[in-house]
Amino acid sequence: MYSEKVMDHFSNPRNVGEIEEASGTGMVGNPACGDIMKLTIKIENNVITDVKFKTFGCGAAIATSSMVTELVKGKGLDDAEKISNNTVAEALDGLPPVKMHCSNLAADALHAAIEDYRKKLETK
Amino acid sequence: MYSEKVMDHFSNPRNVGEIEEASGTGMVGNPACGDIMKLTIKIENNVITDVKFKTFGCGAAIATSSMVTELVKGKGLDDAEKISNNTVAEALDGLPPVKMHCSNLAADALHAAIEDYRKKLETK
Amino acid sequence: MNKIYFDHNATTPVIDEVFEAMVPFYKEQWGNPSSIHWAGRGTRKAVEDARENVCKLLNCAPLELIFTSSGTESDNHAIKGIAYAKKDKGNHIITTKVEHPAILSTCKHLAKEGFEITYLEVDKDGLIDLEQLKAAITPKTILITVMFANNETGVLFPIKEIGQIAKERGITFHTDAVQAAGKIPINVQELNVDLLTISGHKIYGPKGVGALFAKRGVRLTPLIHGGHQERNRRGGTENVAGIIGFGKAAEIAIRDLDKEIAHLSMLRNRLETGLKEKIQHVYVNGHPEKRLPNTANISFEFVEGESLLLNLDMKGIAASSGSACTSGSLEPSHVLVAMGISLELAHGSVRFSLGKSNTVEEIDYLIEIMPPIVERMRSMSPLFAGHKF
Amino acid sequence: MNKIYFDHNATTPVIDEVFEAMVPFYKEQWGNPSSIHWAGRGTRKAVEDARENVCKLLNCAPLELIFTSSGTESDNHAIKGIAYAKKDKGNHIITTKVEHPAILSTCKHLAKEGFEITYLEVDKDGLIDLEQLKAAITPKTILITVMFANNETGVLFPIKEIGQIAKERGITFHTDAVQAAGKIPINVQELNVDLLTISGHKIYGPKGVGALFAKRGVRLTPLIHGGHQERNRRGGTENVAGIIGFGKAAEIAIRDLDKEIAHLSMLRNRLETGLKEKIQHVYVNGHPEKRLPNTANISFEFVEGESLLLNLDMKGIAASSGSACTSGSLEPSHVLVAMGISLELAHGSVRFSLGKSNTVEEIDYLIEIMPPIVERMRSMSPLFAGHKF
Ligand SMILES: Cc1ncc(COP(=O)(O)O)c(C=O)c1O
Ligand SMILES: Cc1ncc(COP(=O)(O)O)c(C=O)c1O
């Protein structure tokens, strides 16, 4: 059902955890669909220098979370914002159709974290 | 599907043929149901001294025809008239249910032959 | 006693390669294809591979093929599926008088529910008149269902032409190709069919598995509601081993088709010629050319079919009168009657349907033993009075 | 890696004796049971013998058993069959919220056709309230369908009592006993059921064969119209080998029932006790006693079920979340949700369903490897924040 890359990220997820005093936090998903992702990012000079995730969810949810952290680490915010859920799915050599909608939210979590960071900046 | 007795009478039918100058002839059945039986009998002193059949029909039709000839040969007319289609079926150790109605007409042929004989007597 | 099987239209033996392909799906790969763990993954893939093989037999896409439990289920699925899905558009269905009971009983049932059914007549060759078909169409016609090849006579219907007529008028067209599959080429891309039925056990696969081709875009009300199997079109845990066997049988059917056609028509012609030469008052039923290569439906005048079958059976030869489904019934063949054949001749018909393993020797044996059997039965027949043999 | 199968409610392996019984019906006795010649006669008898064996599993008469292609087909046949046959009497059907999709999808379809469906609630143990059932009955109620045992939790419904309620009111009662058969005794003479569904592949028989018990006198509209098979109640050439396998599986199920019940409940209790001892925040779903002996449905709080299953699969252990039919779906189990279990817990459930060949060692292996898996997944879970393991 899952590609080898998905299974690799599922079994050895990168960047699990939570950044204390994160620059931004994104939380997406809901219990009804069974996937909840929390992404915390550290941003220095408009570059994502660290990123960690925690995910409650299926194999696809965990693998996309892990993959998105790999994709964005070290990227400038502008580049990071261009990453879409599809980008993540492609980087994992695809996901089963049934998983494309609900469990493929990691990029949304990223965008939410960046927005959170921007909001914090404004209110500073 | 058929009992051994049916198969015996089917493969070695007794009394096939037609009696020339028969005392009575009975013909029953019709092409729609696929069974036509013709029974010819010779009667002397109210006793059936000879009987022959010709049948167009399935295994059951042929076996019942054959069986009825065995049952009546040498019998008095009164006894012969008591033979019913069921008697014939029983003598053959039964017939498949689907064959009980349509193909089990040999006794009817017998009764028709006896009636034919009686009618001829009257008109003599 | 040698056993000779001349009843391949009733069912075919499961050939060894097919059985061997099925065995692992009973012994090791018995998982549920819907399971995501090790026990299910292999079976899912195997089912999809089998689907591709069956699709190749018809030249359709995997998405267009629904596995079912039989030709009969596929026929029900197609007819009721369209009837219910399109009942707002109309209630008229056109079929023929010579369909298999799977079609006729289904139509009869729909008639009770208020659908109108037109049963097209056939001529003495067993063929319908396309002008009659056109004339039967009304604005309420939602479905035409005409069989590809008749199971009793082997007569082939002009599927492409019927499909063209249906297509031009926006009417859904289904064909029951149970007897055609594996015996003649079928290419749904070239035919104008929307729905097409096939069955595993008529092409040397196992019993209990069939398929329905449903062209992309054709909407059908499901017959069996349930889980998400077959893309929500047919619920129920898949008959995995059966599907695998069906797939293998389809693969072999494609591979051997040309060879089989040549082999079967040679044998069939030898059989017909031989019997006609040796026995008088013998008639071959059905159009002489527009026929399956394997089917010989022969009436032996003055004698009844079942008694001939019993005699043949005693010699080890399996043949049938009419469809297997109706043997054991007393009605004369509805197919032969529709062709205008007399009741006596209809009752006196025997269907020899040949297959892969039949040989010239078997045909010659039949030609040798048949005349004395017919002679003996005729000598017992009250209908034979006037004739001499 | 050792393979351990804890997913017997999804499907069971075909046991060797069953397979061996089937082989001749592919290799030699492949005739059509409707054929009257040598090739058909043996198969007809074998099918009828198998029917008797399946009847013994339910204690019904051969005339009361219709072979079908699956549990799903039997469910469709029963529900649509009664709905259509009794639609002049009423249009109301009562079922529960926790039925298998075979029932729920069929009811949903009938609702579109104008039937009214009442879905009874269940309590936190997964059981219905008989007073609610009685209250739901209206003069238009024609059918009650309540499952015998739930496939996800194993919860057992009070079939006899429901049947009594139905009987007193002249309402037809169907029960889906697919999961009950072979795991607990079933005696239709003692239960007040009119219709009962079973399936071959859940009792160590092959996939692609099921049966419907229909009590003498119960009139059903056929689902699959066709030939005279199954006494005109279900058309289509019989899945002979499948039926033979089903018969053999039934015979073995009867023979081993008591032994199996003891074996399975011992293993199941060991599994539940072991996991609860070793892991915190673990909940067993479903009534503690009114349950099948083989099913353990367990929620592991803070983690999601599929990811647990993947981890187990990597260790060679096959289990499932919910029914096999819905795994691969993203919805939380409709059964657990109906029981009032929170969405997180519903998503965190795993079903272990045990079978014949499972051993104490296998259970102990699971109890050993499960805690670190759950711990690792919890350490990744944003929901676990506040808790310590
Ligand atoms: C309770 C219940 N009913 C019906 C079915 C469907 O049976 P089958 O898989 O034979 O269609 C199942 C099996 O998944 C089941 O567990
Ligand atoms: C033309 C035709 N249609 C349908 C069927 C039914 O197929 P099955 O036996 O798979 O139900 C048959 C087989 O008897 C057939 O010959």
Side-chain angles (χ1 to χ4, degrees), chain B residues 1-2 7 10-11 13 16 27 31-34 36 38 53-60 62 98-99 102-103, chain C residues 302-304 306-308 310-311 314 328-332 343-344 347-348 376-383 385:
Chain B
M1 173 163 113
Y2 287 132
M7 286 310 292
F10 173 73
S11 341
V16 177
M27 184 124 167
C33 75
I36 301 171
K38 185 175 179 185
F53 82 90
K54 281 205 166 183
T55 290
F56 167 91
C58 65
I62 290 172
V98 69
K99 299 290 187 182
C102 221
S103 314
Chain C
F302 315 119
V303 296
E304 196 270 348
E306 192 211 271
S307 59
L308 290 179
L310 283 177
N311 276 293
M314 292 189 290
S329 128
L330 302 167
E331 303 285 307
L343 294 175
E344 286 92 336
H347 273 295
R376 194 174 76 88
M377 299 315 289
R378 283 182 178 168
S379 74
M380 290 168 59
S381 169
L383 303 179

Side-chain angles (χ1 to χ4, degrees), chain C residues 32 224 226-227 229 234-238, chain D residues 9-11 68-75 98-103 147-152 176-180 183 197-202 206-210 323-325 351:
Chain C
N32 190 320
I224 300 182
Q229 294 94 347
R234 199 263 184 186
T237 300
E238 297 88 340
Chain D
N9 287 11
T11 195
T68 67
S69 69
S70 64
T72 301
E73 184 189 326
S74 299
D75 284 343
V98 298
E99 301 294 313
H100 188 270
I103 303 282
M147 69 201 319
F148 208 123
N150 185 272
N151 45 305
E152 298 192 22
D176 176 342
V178 166
Q179 292 296 345
K183 295 175 191 143
T197 292
I198 55 176
S199 176
H201 74 102
K202 310 281 188 183
K207 295 170 184 55
V209 60
S323 73
C325 298
R351 177 186 72 183

Side-chain angles (χ1 to χ4, degrees), chain B residues 35-83:
Chain B
D35 291 306
I36 301 171
M37 300 179 187
K38 185 175 179 185
L39 214 71
T40 45
I41 50 179
K42 178 142 211 98
I43 296 173
E44 291 167 297
N45 301 326
N46 272 335
V47 168
I48 299 179
T49 54
D50 198 9
V51 51
K52 285 200 154 42
F53 82 90
K54 281 205 166 183
T55 290
F56 167 91
C58 65
I62 290 172
T64 51
S65 307
S66 166
M67 178 51 93
V68 89
T69 62
E70 282 218 320
L71 289 177
V72 298
K73 216 177 209 177
K75 276 229 167 69
L77 280 193
D78 290 354
D79 285 348
E81 282 185 305
K82 283 185 201 133
I83 291 172

